[in-house]
Amino acid sequence: MFVRWHTPSDGDLRVLDVRRAEAALMEHYPRLVRLVYVTLPRSPGRHRRVLAAHGLVQRALPHRGPAIPGRRRAGDARDTAPDEYGTLRTSVLRAALAQDARPGPLPRRWAGRPALPAVWGLRVFPQAGGAEELLLDRALAQARWPVRAAVALLVLEKLSADEAAAVLRDTGVAEPAEALLAARRLIDESGPHPSGTDGGTGAADASTEPRPMSAAGGSGTPVSALLAPEFDPCLLHARPTDLLRRRHRVRTAVTGALLAACVGAVSLSLAGDSGVPTESGRQRTASKATDVALLRHTPADVWADTSRVDFTAWPARGARTGDRALLERALRAWSDPSWRGLRSQEAGAASTGTGRAPHLLFADDVDGRAVVVLHDDLTTVRYSEPLDGDGPPELVSALTDGAGVTTAAAVVVSRTPTSVRMLLAPWIAEAGTRDLLAPDTPARDVSRSRTGLTEPLPVPSADGGCRTWPVVQLRSSTRIVEKHAFLLTDLGGVSPVHLTYMPPPEPGERPRPPREATGPDALRGWARTACRLDGLRGQGVRAVNHWVFAQQDLPESAGRATWVCARADTWRGPGRVEYLFLGPGTGPARSAGVRANTAECSRFGQNVLADVGWRAPSGSSYLLAAGSRSVGRIEASGPLRAKADGRFLAVRAPRNSDAKVVGRLPESDAVRAP
């Protein structure tokens, strides 16, 4: 364990005037709020974490009394020179640590919290980040509080290791050196951290002593991502809460208040003076999670008149949406950890509900089973049971946080070894299926019921063969977007995977974001790389992008090769990339290396490099390497030494030569091949 309460020695403390402390708090308010926001637990969600961070900083000053204890500035021997900001920083970190130490999730109103800040009718949250911010936030969420605090002190506060250790010790961390080492490991595992600012070569430091981490590194590293708007709780977006649910609450406010008063009076009389919850109270709490009346229903046409086109805009569909018994069984399976059935969850998904009533998306009989689909904020849940009673019920949960027009367009409701049935979103106007390995064959129309349930659709074979690769081609309604078609493929999950494409760079043009993989060039490119998708089954993949980052003329006039980075983004945040080499012709791609948990090939990692051994038609062996547009020089070292100006390298080399290939960027930074 890292944490214990530690009290600084009295000789280190001085008296800090409250008015001076207030001036310091106002001057450094955004800095303190960001520091607390980074260290708070992630479980309550961004809205409550933002309010908690502001509340903890605002109550850092005492409500009464002329002075508070403060720490003397380092190197200042005068008793009248306390470090106002340092004392406030320690105070807010202690408050954050106290919240983290509470059992269970962060409460809506914790003991002693002031009434302000309070937000009514809105949900506030920082700007949404990209893959790099998600990667860092997921890593911080899994770390313990001392590690999060150590990262924040080193990166946001730019403290040295000794200074950070002193702050952690004053805050209540028993082993600050261990926390600092864990922070270093966290950032190293999340991605490359910036090198020091002394102009060195960036070689690995063999020392185990914690060192300060600079945020001045290249863009796209996890350290610089911590300085992004994603982690700034003072730069906020606002969205309304559930408007229909709020309207219902307003209409029933008077009745609810009277009922609450009556129930409260009865509960107090039953509980007596002990304050211990009664058994009947616990039963009422448990039954609330399975109350069908609390299920959230979205009206049928909301999707066409909202800026949030995701699972919350799905109406409840199917012939059994009014079957209370079926819905109660589904809710019980999702809310009760002791439920006896076949329960499984995809990567990163919760296994049970949060206690809040989920959205009902679908309830009907499909292929001999009763199926219920729920959406519980971050998670999509599919419950099914046999109609004839032969076999156990099943429940599968999948993380679908941040789904949008394409990634919330379909849900798999039934599966066999060779086919699936999908429930399509209400904004899907056209649906078809096509073979990704046959790019010149047009899509075949897919029939669907009035509830959006498709006919059985073929799926890629899971036996290791790759003779075909079926995908679904959908087109969105013009009521939300015009001329928007996209591809989805099944990789064994509840939610299909979105496929996108980025063409090769054009001279003089800025890189463009990924586009839909429905054009001729995209289909021809995916035809050669589709079989590589088989290695992504069961990993909670959200989308895969096919980026053509270079095209290289081969030696001996053997034609032109294409270099592709296939990036798979997961619902959890981390990404996996595989570099692919496509020689002349139409044959399948060759792997040129894989990296996991990386920002490469995303908008935060656009500088990439890959190499591969290649045999010319003459029989000669070559080492080939290619980089993205910013690579200005490529060097090979090890058994083979070679270099070339520009973004391409082609040199004769023995087969299977173990060369280390590095690309040089204009800022003297380096990018390495996998």
Side-chain angles (χ1 to χ4, degrees), residues 615-627:
R615 188 174 183 179
S618 66
S620 300
S621 296
Y622 288 83
L623 173 67
L624 304 180

Side-chain angles (χ1 to χ4, degrees), residues 391-442:
E394 300 179 2
L395 184 134
V396 182
S397 57
L399 182 65
T400 53
D401 181 21
V405 173
T406 56
T407 49
V411 169
V412 175
V413 297
S414 175
R415 180 182 298 279
T416 71
T418 59
S419 67
V420 296
R421 285 185 187 265
M422 293 185 184
L423 181 67
L424 302 183
W427 56 83
I428 298 302
E430 298 177 12
T433 182
R434 67 186 310 150
D435 182 5
L436 208 54
L437 302 187
D440 297 327
T441 302

